[in-house]
Amino acid sequence: MGTDDTDAATTGLVLTGGGARAAYQVGVLDAVAQIRRDCEAPSTNPFPVIAGTSAGAINAAALAGGSDDFDLALARLSQVWRNFSAEQVYRSDSIGVMRTGARWLTMLSIGWLIARWRRVRPRSLLDNTPLEGLLTRLVSLERVPTMMQQGHLLALAISASGYGSGLHVTFYDTRRDIAPWARSQRIAVRGPIGVQHLLASSAIPFVFPAVRLAPQGQIEYFGDGSMRQSAPISPAVHLGARRILVIGAGRMHEPPGPRAGSAEYPNLAQIAGHAMSSIFLDALAVDVERLQRINNTLALLSPAARSATSLRPIDVLLIAPSMRLDDIAARHLRCLPTAVRGMLRAIGVSGEGREARGGALASYLLFEAPYTRELMALGVADTMARRDEVTRFFGWERRAVSRSLPRPPAYPVPLEIG
């Protein structure tokens, strides 16, 4: 049984960016699926509208392509994140790292001597060629039109940033007749979504190479969709979602009280990690606050005044990590491949645990099972701690059955991830 186009409470899912941090999203969704089963709610896809950015775009596309069996699609996705290794995302062998990272660092130091030799100009810190193969096995984008025709899915949106135009572009496909929208510095382009869109959306600046796309017939290179993303929730709203689950990839609020600083001059890794946090985290907090202000304003209006405006209240449930993912990453720096660890050490990633430096940068690149499993477990725990909010949000009646961890699927999960 598919979704209903006329449902006034169409539910959207927004998955933000963050590289390896996106493992947290899968833990949250595992817990949501468990809560739904405990409540004996319908087993249909709970998210007719799905929007993703960066690594969140990959998770979003995997769920959209399997929306006729949401639990199976989620189980396949969970299996990948539970068994991740960096070599599935980027070349982590010594030769591969030397061809990209070592040359990139050389250009930073003596680039003025060799700038005229185009053949030695690296495009990124890491070579993410393996990621394309993983996406081909994991994501069934060719099934998305069928999922829409059968009513399992209403819309899928993937966002990326154009390096030439400076525009933030949302690529979307939808079952409904929704015209492209345009706002200041951001536009939407309707059409089929492919693996290249996912590679572009997840191309972390400096770390992974830009991807060539041709929206509206104009060739341009695109990078991570989190850049210049001033309104992460907007695509889901434009595509008809009236209640939206937003899963963040970083702590939204710090605990009260002073936070220890450092008198040492920051190294390159610390500056890069701070910049990435600004790219991936700040816009989401601002957008949620903006949406809450609109909801509060609409609540003050009379029914007549509300009917006269095109604005509608949007019910948003935000679930974000209760712990700093930088600190978790610092405990797992030794899990990084030797060649990658050596390259990162050159820009300031060092130590481990409390003595670690550069954990913020590493937290985006640690596609290793010990780290991703801990993030998934945190996602489960954070969601189960807010179980009552989740059941109210979805309108699920809470049953007597209650479990702290998701049950494994009752069916095999056929997926080769090697």
Side-chain angles (χ1 to χ4, degrees):
M1 178 176 162
T3 58
D4 183 357
D5 276 6
T6 63
D7 184 4
T10 296
T11 304
L13 174 65
V14 172
L15 300 175
T16 60
R21 290 169 170 243
Y24 176 85
Q25 300 170 355
V26 182
V28 171
L29 292 170
D30 278 341
V32 168
Q34 179 61 63
I35 293 171
R36 185 192 65 184
R37 288 191 292 267
D38 288 348
C39 293
E40 299 179 6
S43 60
T44 52
N45 174 27
F47 305 107
V49 175
I50 304 178
T53 303
S54 193
I58 296 172
N59 288 341
L63 295 174
S67 53
D68 56 339
D69 191 338
F70 182 82
D71 284 350
L72 178 58
L74 180 56
R76 289 165 60 89
L77 189 59
S78 295
Q79 186 188 42
V80 170
W81 283 99
R82 285 185 180 279
N83 297 281
F84 241 136
S85 62
E87 64 185 11
Q88 295 172 261
V89 179
Y90 52 80
R91 287 198 60 178
S92 57
D93 58 289
S94 298
I95 294 177
V97 171
M98 287 178 63
R99 285 178 175 174
T100 53
R103 287 184 178 182
W104 192 81
L105 294 176
T106 300
M107 286 292 293
L108 284 178
S109 57
I110 59 172
W112 59 277
L113 286 175
I114 58 176
R116 68 179 184 273
W117 298 339
R118 295 184 62 87
R119 67 179 181 275
V120 300
R121 294 181 185 177
R123 296 188 172 190
S124 59
L125 191 63
L126 294 169
D127 176 1
N128 65 342
T129 301
L131 178 59
E132 185 169 359
L134 174 63
L135 293 179
T136 301
R137 297 190 297 274
L138 173 65
V139 182
S140 302
L141 284 168
E142 72 283 355
R143 299 186 77 233
V144 169
T146 302
M147 296 298 95
M148 292 181 182
Q149 292 170 6
Q150 295 178 353
H152 301 294
L153 183 71
L154 295 182
L156 171 65
I158 303 299
S159 296
S161 296
Y163 281 115
S165 65
L167 291 174
H168 181 269
V169 181
T170 296
F171 301 93
Y172 73 101
D173 197 1
T174 177
R175 175 182 169 184
R176 293 168 168 166
D177 185 17
I178 299 176
W181 59 91
R183 298 292 185 270
S184 176
Q185 299 299 313
R186 51 190 174 97
I187 63 171
V189 176
R190 183 173 184 175
I193 293 173
V195 167
Q196 292 303 109
H197 295 91
L198 302 184
L199 289 171
S201 182
S202 58
I204 300 174
F206 301 109
V207 177
F208 296 141
V211 177
R212 178 175 168 172
L213 298 174
Q216 302 174 322
Q218 300 294 318
I219 295 176
E220 185 176 2
Y221 281 89
F222 284 81
D224 199 293
S226 296
M227 295 186 291
R228 309 200 73 172
Q229 188 178 40
S230 59
I233 304 174
S234 174
V237 175
H238 279 289
L239 294 172
R242 291 296 171 262
R243 63 183 181 196
I244 304 173
L245 173 62
V246 182
I247 307 179
R251 191 168 184 167
M252 303 294 294
H253 302 287
E254 293 295 334
R259 182 170 176 80
S262 174
E264 296 184 29
Y265 192 84
N267 58 42
L268 183 58
Q270 290 173 303
I271 295 173
H274 188 72
M276 284 191 180
S277 294
S278 298
I279 292 172
F280 287 108
L281 304 180
D282 292 352
L284 178 59
V286 171
D287 204 23
V288 170
E289 291 175 358
R290 181 190 302 120
L291 205 55
Q292 290 171 340
R293 287 197 300 271
I294 292 174
N295 287 344
N296 292 338
T297 300
L298 289 173
L300 297 174
L301 299 179
S302 66
R306 283 199 300 269
S307 63
T309 177
S310 60
L311 296 175
R312 296 291 181 268
I314 305 294
D315 186 9
V316 174
L317 175 61
L318 170 64
I319 299 180
S322 59
M323 298 176 60
R324 287 175 56 85
L325 302 193
D326 304 5
D327 297 339
I328 296 176
R331 298 198 294 268
H332 296 284
L333 291 182
R334 291 182 183 273
C335 296
L336 283 165
T338 302
V340 176
R341 196 163 66 245
M343 179 191 65
L344 293 179
R345 188 181 300 116
I347 60 175
V349 178
S350 61
E352 191 170 15
R354 294 180 180 275
E355 304 301 321
R357 300 188 70 189
L361 175 60
S363 71
Y364 297 93
L365 306 179
L366 257 166
F367 292 93
E368 296 291 342
Y371 175 64
T372 58
R373 289 184 182 187
E374 186 166 349
L375 296 195
M376 291 174 70
L378 179 62
V380 170
D382 286 348
T383 307
M384 287 300 184
R386 301 175 62 184
R387 181 183 182 120
D388 289 341
E389 290 180 69
V390 172
T391 55
R392 284 196 301 270
F393 175 80
F394 285 99
W396 295 335
E397 180 184 352
R398 183 168 181 175
R399 308 289 183 180
V401 180
S402 177
R403 295 175 177 83
S404 59
L405 294 174
R407 291 190 298 257
Y411 35 75
V413 183
L415 178 66
E416 294 294 331
I417 61 172

